[in-house]
Amino acid sequence: QVQLVQSGAEVKKPGASVTVSCKASGYTFTNYFMHWVRQAPGQGLEWTGIINPSVGGTSYAQKFQGRVTMTSDTSTSTVYMEMSNLTSEDTAVYYCARQSQLLYDAFDIWGQGTMVTVSS
Amino acid sequence: EVVLTQSPGTLSLSPGERATLSCRASQSVGSSYFAWYQQKPGQAPRLLIFDASSRATGIPDRFSGGGSGTDFTLTISRLEPEDFAVYYCQQYGNSPWTFGQGTKVEIK
Protein backbone atom coordinates (compact mmCIF):
# COMPACT_ATOMS: atom_id res chain seq x y z
CA GLN A 1 0.00 0.00 0.00
CA VAL A 2 0.98 3.62 -0.40
CA GLN A 3 2.84 4.85 2.63
CA LEU A 4 5.36 7.35 3.88
CA VAL A 5 7.57 6.17 6.72
CA GLN A 6 9.55 8.77 8.64
CA SER A 7 12.64 8.49 10.79
CA GLY A 8 12.48 8.37 14.57
CA ALA A 9 12.30 11.06 17.21
CA GLU A 10 15.23 13.41 17.71
CA VAL A 11 16.48 15.47 20.65
CA LYS A 12 18.80 18.33 19.78
CA LYS A 13 20.48 21.19 21.58
CA PRO A 14 19.89 24.81 20.57
CA GLY A 15 22.05 25.78 17.62
CA ALA A 16 22.29 22.24 16.31
CA SER A 17 20.91 20.82 13.08
CA VAL A 18 18.49 17.96 12.51
CA THR A 19 17.72 15.81 9.49
CA VAL A 20 14.41 13.99 9.15
CA SER A 21 13.85 11.37 6.47
CA CYS A 22 10.66 10.23 4.74
CA LYS A 23 10.72 6.97 2.75
CA ALA A 24 7.99 6.44 0.18
CA SER A 25 6.63 3.12 -0.98
CA GLY A 26 3.72 1.75 -2.97
CA TYR A 27 3.78 4.35 -5.73
CA THR A 28 6.09 5.92 -8.32
CA PHE A 29 8.21 8.23 -6.19
CA THR A 30 9.06 10.71 -8.96
CA ASN A 31 5.43 11.23 -9.97
CA TYR A 32 4.55 13.20 -6.83
CA PHE A 33 5.75 16.28 -5.01
CA MET A 34 6.52 16.11 -1.30
CA HIS A 35 5.75 18.74 1.30
CA TRP A 36 6.96 19.16 4.87
CA VAL A 37 4.50 20.44 7.48
CA ARG A 38 5.23 20.96 11.14
CA GLN A 39 3.04 21.11 14.24
CA ALA A 40 4.25 22.58 17.52
CA PRO A 41 2.82 20.98 20.68
CA GLY A 42 -0.86 21.81 20.99
CA GLN A 43 -0.74 24.04 17.93
CA GLY A 44 -1.91 24.00 14.32
CA LEU A 45 -0.24 23.00 11.07
CA GLU A 46 2.51 25.10 9.50
CA TRP A 47 3.75 24.58 5.94
CA THR A 48 7.54 24.43 5.72
CA GLY A 49 8.37 23.71 2.09
CA ILE A 50 8.03 21.51 -0.99
CA ILE A 51 10.37 19.41 -3.08
CA ASN A 52 9.97 17.88 -6.53
CA PRO A 53 11.81 14.58 -5.95
CA SER A 54 12.44 13.91 -9.63
CA VAL A 55 14.52 17.02 -10.25
CA GLY A 56 15.24 18.24 -6.73
CA GLY A 57 13.59 21.60 -7.19
CA THR A 58 12.45 23.20 -3.93
CA SER A 59 10.45 26.10 -2.51
CA TYR A 60 10.54 27.04 1.14
CA ALA A 61 8.31 29.11 3.40
CA GLN A 62 9.85 32.53 3.83
CA LYS A 63 10.35 32.15 7.58
CA PHE A 64 12.57 29.11 7.03
CA GLN A 65 14.62 30.45 4.10
CA GLY A 66 18.30 29.96 4.76
CA ARG A 67 17.69 27.50 7.56
CA VAL A 68 15.97 24.55 5.85
CA THR A 69 17.20 22.30 3.06
CA MET A 70 15.12 19.60 1.38
CA THR A 71 16.70 16.91 -0.75
CA SER A 72 15.67 13.67 -2.41
CA ASP A 73 17.29 10.35 -3.24
CA THR A 74 15.47 8.65 -6.10
CA SER A 75 17.49 5.43 -5.63
CA THR A 76 15.87 4.87 -2.24
CA SER A 77 12.62 6.83 -2.75
CA THR A 78 13.47 9.00 0.23
CA VAL A 79 13.20 12.72 0.86
CA TYR A 80 15.09 14.54 3.57
CA MET A 81 14.51 17.75 5.46
CA GLU A 82 17.43 19.37 7.26
CA MET A 83 16.86 22.30 9.58
CA SER A 84 19.78 24.18 11.06
CA ASN A 85 20.38 26.62 13.90
CA LEU A 86 17.56 25.09 15.93
CA THR A 87 15.85 26.94 18.77
CA SER A 88 13.20 25.84 21.26
CA GLU A 89 10.58 27.25 18.89
CA ASP A 90 11.46 24.48 16.42
CA THR A 91 10.21 21.84 18.85
CA ALA A 92 7.43 20.19 16.87
CA VAL A 93 6.22 17.12 15.05
CA TYR A 94 7.42 17.25 11.46
CA TYR A 95 5.32 15.53 8.80
CA CYS A 96 6.03 14.75 5.16
CA ALA A 97 2.96 14.78 2.92
CA ARG A 98 2.45 13.82 -0.71
CA GLN A 99 0.92 15.96 -3.45
CA SER A 100 0.20 14.93 -7.02
CA GLN A 101 1.95 16.80 -9.81
CA LEU A 102 -1.18 18.69 -10.70
CA LEU A 103 -0.33 22.36 -10.27
CA TYR A 104 -2.94 22.60 -7.52
CA ASP A 105 -3.77 19.63 -5.34
CA ALA A 106 -4.27 18.63 -1.71
CA PHE A 107 -1.99 16.44 0.42
CA ASP A 108 -3.42 12.96 0.11
CA ILE A 109 -0.93 10.80 2.05
CA TRP A 110 0.98 11.81 5.19
CA GLY A 111 3.86 10.26 7.07
CA GLN A 112 3.42 9.27 10.69
CA GLY A 113 5.36 12.29 11.92
CA THR A 114 8.74 12.79 13.59
CA MET A 115 9.01 14.52 16.95
CA VAL A 116 11.93 16.93 17.13
CA THR A 117 12.67 18.30 20.58
CA VAL A 118 15.10 21.19 21.01
CA SER A 119 16.29 21.54 24.57
CA SER A 120 19.45 22.45 26.39
CA GLU B 1 -0.11 35.02 2.36
CA VAL B 2 -3.72 33.81 2.55
CA VAL B 3 -4.84 33.73 6.18
CA LEU B 4 -7.54 31.17 7.02
CA THR B 5 -9.78 31.75 10.02
CA GLN B 6 -11.83 28.82 11.28
CA SER B 7 -14.96 29.05 13.41
CA PRO B 8 -15.95 28.07 15.93
CA GLY B 9 -12.81 27.14 17.83
CA THR B 10 -14.65 24.35 19.60
CA LEU B 11 -17.93 22.65 18.73
CA SER B 12 -19.63 20.61 21.47
CA LEU B 13 -22.13 18.17 20.04
CA SER B 14 -23.65 14.75 20.70
CA PRO B 15 -23.35 11.69 18.47
CA GLY B 16 -26.00 11.78 15.77
CA GLU B 17 -26.06 15.57 15.59
CA ARG B 18 -25.07 17.66 12.58
CA ALA B 19 -21.79 19.58 12.63
CA THR B 20 -21.10 22.64 10.50
CA LEU B 21 -17.56 24.03 10.46
CA SER B 22 -16.57 27.25 8.73
CA CYS B 23 -13.38 28.62 7.25
CA ARG B 24 -12.94 32.14 5.90
CA ALA B 25 -10.01 33.17 3.72
CA SER B 26 -8.43 36.63 3.77
CA GLN B 27 -8.56 36.68 -0.05
CA SER B 28 -10.23 34.64 -2.74
CA VAL B 29 -8.93 31.08 -3.15
CA GLY B 30 -8.72 30.50 -6.89
CA SER B 31 -10.99 27.88 -8.41
CA SER B 32 -11.85 26.38 -5.00
CA TYR B 33 -8.40 24.94 -4.31
CA PHE B 34 -9.45 24.15 -0.79
CA ALA B 35 -9.20 21.09 1.47
CA TRP B 36 -10.31 19.80 4.86
CA TYR B 37 -8.32 17.43 7.07
CA GLN B 38 -9.19 15.48 10.19
CA GLN B 39 -6.63 14.92 12.93
CA LYS B 40 -6.99 12.68 15.95
CA PRO B 41 -4.62 12.81 18.95
CA GLY B 42 -1.23 11.33 18.19
CA GLN B 43 -2.06 10.84 14.51
CA ALA B 44 -1.17 12.55 11.27
CA PRO B 45 -3.84 14.60 9.51
CA ARG B 46 -6.09 12.71 7.09
CA LEU B 47 -7.46 14.25 3.91
CA LEU B 48 -11.27 14.40 3.90
CA ILE B 49 -12.25 16.90 1.20
CA PHE B 50 -10.32 18.42 -1.73
CA ASP B 51 -11.27 20.98 -4.37
CA ALA B 52 -13.74 22.34 -1.81
CA SER B 53 -16.37 19.62 -2.30
CA SER B 54 -14.81 16.35 -3.48
CA ARG B 55 -14.48 13.54 -0.96
CA ALA B 56 -11.13 11.79 -0.74
CA THR B 57 -10.89 8.05 -1.25
CA GLY B 58 -12.64 6.07 1.47
CA ILE B 59 -14.28 9.07 3.17
CA PRO B 60 -17.91 8.37 4.19
CA ASP B 61 -20.65 10.40 2.53
CA ARG B 62 -21.71 11.96 5.85
CA PHE B 63 -18.79 14.35 5.22
CA SER B 64 -19.47 17.09 2.68
CA GLY B 65 -17.72 20.28 1.71
CA GLY B 66 -18.97 23.45 0.09
CA GLY B 67 -18.27 27.07 -0.60
CA SER B 68 -16.17 29.15 -2.95
CA GLY B 69 -14.18 32.35 -3.07
CA THR B 70 -13.47 33.19 0.55
CA ASP B 71 -16.06 31.18 2.51
CA PHE B 72 -15.99 27.40 2.87
CA THR B 73 -17.81 24.89 5.04
CA LEU B 74 -17.41 21.31 6.16
CA THR B 75 -20.58 19.52 7.19
CA ILE B 76 -20.81 16.22 9.02
CA SER B 77 -24.43 15.16 8.63
CA ARG B 78 -24.63 12.78 11.61
CA LEU B 79 -21.70 12.58 14.00
CA GLU B 80 -20.31 9.14 14.67
CA PRO B 81 -18.13 8.49 17.76
CA GLU B 82 -15.02 8.33 15.56
CA ASP B 83 -15.68 11.83 14.15
CA PHE B 84 -14.74 13.64 17.36
CA ALA B 85 -11.42 15.18 16.40
CA VAL B 86 -9.77 18.40 15.25
CA TYR B 87 -10.48 19.63 11.72
CA TYR B 88 -8.22 21.87 9.68
CA CYS B 89 -8.95 23.76 6.50
CA GLN B 90 -6.22 24.42 3.92
CA GLN B 91 -5.87 26.45 0.75
CA TYR B 92 -3.54 25.35 -2.02
CA GLY B 93 -4.35 27.90 -4.70
CA ASN B 94 -1.75 30.40 -3.54
CA SER B 95 1.79 29.91 -2.33
CA PRO B 96 2.58 29.59 0.50
CA TRP B 97 0.13 26.82 1.30
CA THR B 98 -1.69 27.78 4.50
CA PHE B 99 -3.89 26.12 7.09
CA GLY B 100 -6.56 27.35 9.46
CA GLN B 101 -5.97 27.15 13.21
CA GLY B 102 -8.37 24.22 13.61
CA THR B 103 -11.83 23.47 14.99
CA LYS B 104 -12.15 20.89 17.73
CA VAL B 105 -15.32 18.82 17.61
CA GLU B 106 -15.86 17.42 21.09
CA ILE B 107 -18.47 15.23 22.71
CA LYS B 108 -21.08 17.21 24.60
Side-chain angles (χ1 to χ4, degrees):
Chain A
Q1 74 281 23
V2 175
Q3 60 178 350
L4 303 174
V5 178
Q6 298 184 221
S7 50
E10 301 268 9
V11 179
K12 296 292 181 180
K13 294 192 182 302
S17 298
V18 67
T19 298
V20 180
S21 67
C22 169
K23 183 174 176 61
S25 62
Y27 70 95
T28 302
F29 178 64
T30 51
N31 284 358
Y32 289 81
F33 300 140
M34 198 75 78
H35 295 261
W36 288 90
V37 176
R38 76 178 190 178
Q39 186 171 37
Q43 302 301 308
L45 303 168
E46 181 177 32
W47 181 75
T48 303
I50 179 176
I51 182 168
N52 179 344
S54 63
V55 297
T58 56
S59 178
Y60 305 133
Q62 188 170 8
K63 72 177 286 186
F64 301 110
Q65 290 274 2
R67 210 161 64 87
V68 69
T69 303
M70 297 176 186
T71 57
S72 65
D73 182 345
T74 56
S75 69
T76 60
S77 299
T78 303
V79 295
Y80 299 89
M81 184 208 64
E82 179 184 17
M83 188 170 288
S84 62
N85 197 20
L86 294 168
T87 73
S88 59
E89 294 187 352
D90 295 314
T91 294
V93 176
Y94 289 76
Y95 295 102
C96 57
R98 187 184 82 161
Q99 181 207 321
S100 77
Q101 289 197 348
L102 291 174
L103 185 57
Y104 304 105
D105 207 357
F107 303 170
D108 66 338
I109 301 293
W110 294 62
Q112 84 276 18
T114 297
M115 182 70 214
V116 175
T117 302
V118 183
S119 174
S120 55
Chain B
E1 172 175 319
V2 178
V3 176
L4 301 180
T5 303
Q6 292 186 238
S7 60
T10 302
L11 202 49
S12 298
L13 295 168
S14 300
E17 290 194 290
R18 181 185 186 91
T20 302
L21 288 66
S22 296
C23 187
R24 173 162 288 178
S26 59
Q27 58 188 273
S28 182
V29 177
S31 299
S32 298
Y33 296 130
F34 201 85
W36 291 92
Y37 299 85
Q38 177 193 68
Q39 187 179 34
K40 297 179 180 179
Q43 296 184 17
R46 176 175 73 142
L47 178 64
L48 299 175
I49 301 288
F50 65 97
D51 292 350
S53 61
S54 298
R55 272 187 300 277
T57 302
I59 302 303
D61 60 8
R62 63 180 181 273
F63 290 92
S64 63
S68 64
T70 60
D71 290 288
F72 298 86
T73 59
L74 173 70
T75 301
I76 310 171
S77 59
R78 287 178 57 85
L79 283 164
E80 297 287 341
E82 62 268 28
D83 299 336
F84 291 91
V86 178
Y87 293 84
Y88 292 96
C89 59
Q90 180 207 28
Q91 67 81 24
Y92 48 92
N94 304 81
S95 182
W97 289 257
T98 50
F99 295 87
Q101 82 279 16
T103 290
K104 181 179 182 180
V105 179
E106 65 176 22
I107 300 176
K108 187 175 182 179

